[in-house]
Every structure is written in structure tokens, then in C-alpha cells.
């Protein structure tokens, strides 16, 4: 493709209610700790993969694994943290809004989630 093709691939969708999304053509476009990121990940059975690009810093990270207990995305972000540490603004990452009624759970509320999980 050419520059126009890349521009279209990286353009995110806007919903009919004008809400912006982070979804583009086969990939996601967002910020990771203040850095522009284009990425995609996937898993099927034991195979996990992650491809992340940080275009402003000419840096890409690819992680592939065939271990079911392995998180390719988590390892990729750890690597990005190391290589891009001079560019990261820690307090600028996107915060997930609290779930109504769950912002300060009591010990009793948390106890119902305690236990062995298989």
C-alpha cells in the first residue's frame, strides 16, 4: 500500500452515536502510558501472540508463545516499558473508570470472591 492506505488502516471507527472507538481496520489504535500505540493480539488454544507498534518511536514488539499459562501481551508491555522508559509518562495512562458501587468494597464483599479457582 501507500501512505493513504496506511492512513485508512489506522483510522478508528466512530459509532453512529458519535462515540469514538479504539478499533481500526484489523487493529487497535490507542495510547499506552502516554505513547501512541497500534496493536493486535490473539490466542487460540495454547498459542498466544501480540504485535504492538509505537510509531512515534520507530519501535515494535512481537511476542509469540505456545504455552497456555503465558501472556504474550503482558510480556510485550514489559518489554515496551524497558525500551521506551525514557518516553513514558507514568501518570498519563488511561484509567479504567470505577464500577458503580465497587469503588471501595468492604472485606465482607471481597470475601465472597476468595477461594480456589480451577
Amino acid at each position: 500500500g501507500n501512505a493513504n492506505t496506511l492512513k485508512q488502516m489506522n483510522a478508528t471507527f466512530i459509532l453512529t452515536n458519535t462515540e469514538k472507538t479504539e478499533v481500526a481496520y484489523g487493529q487497535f489504535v490507542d495510547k499506552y502510558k502516554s505513547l501512541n500505540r497500534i496493536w493486535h493480539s490473539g490466542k487460540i488454544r495454547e498459542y498466544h501472540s501480540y504485535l504492538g507498534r509505537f510509531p512515534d518511536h520507530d519501535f515494535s514488539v512481537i511476542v509469540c508463545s505456545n504455552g497456555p499459562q503465558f501472556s504474550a501481551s503482558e510480556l510485550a508491555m514489559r518489554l515496551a516499558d524497558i525500551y521506551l522508559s525514557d518516553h513514558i509518562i507514568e501518570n498519563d495512562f488511561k484509567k479504567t473508570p470505577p464500577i458503580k458501587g465497587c469503588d471501595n468494597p468492604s472485606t465482607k464483599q471481597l470475601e465472597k470472591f476468595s477461594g480456589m479457582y480451577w
Side-chain angles (χ1 to χ4, degrees):
N2 56 31
N4 192 37
T5 303
L6 290 175
K7 183 178 177 182
Q8 184 177 354
M9 281 180 55
N10 296 333
T12 55
F13 293 104
I14 298 176
L15 302 178
T16 55
N17 66 358
T18 68
E19 182 180 339
K20 293 182 179 182
T21 70
E22 295 174 345
V23 179
Y25 287 89
Q27 58 191 358
F28 300 94
V29 179
D30 64 5
K31 288 195 178 283
Y32 173 75
K33 295 185 179 180
S34 76
L35 305 175
N36 291 320
R37 173 176 68 161
I38 302 168
W39 65 277
H40 196 281
S41 66
K43 61 183 176 178
I44 184 167
R45 295 188 180 103
E46 283 79 31
Y47 181 77
H48 296 229
S49 64
Y50 177 91
L51 164 62
R53 295 179 289 133
F54 296 84
D56 299 337
H57 304 285
D58 293 325
F59 177 77
S60 297
V61 60
I62 300 169
V63 176
C64 300
S65 169
N66 60 358
Q69 71 282 8
F70 184 82
S71 172
S73 300
E74 184 178 324
L75 179 58
M77 292 303 88
R78 286 183 180 182
L79 292 169
D81 287 344
I82 293 167
Y83 283 95
L84 299 172
S85 62
D86 292 342
H87 307 287
I88 291 174
I89 301 171
E90 285 291 338
N91 293 329
D92 197 27
F93 61 91
K94 187 166 108 180
K95 292 182 173 45
T96 304
I99 299 170
K100 187 175 181 180
C102 294
D103 51 344
N104 192 15
S106 68
T107 302
K108 186 175 181 173
Q109 288 173 309
L110 293 174
E111 282 175 354
K112 67 182 172 183
F113 298 106
S114 177
M116 297 277 287
Y117 291 88
W118 293 91

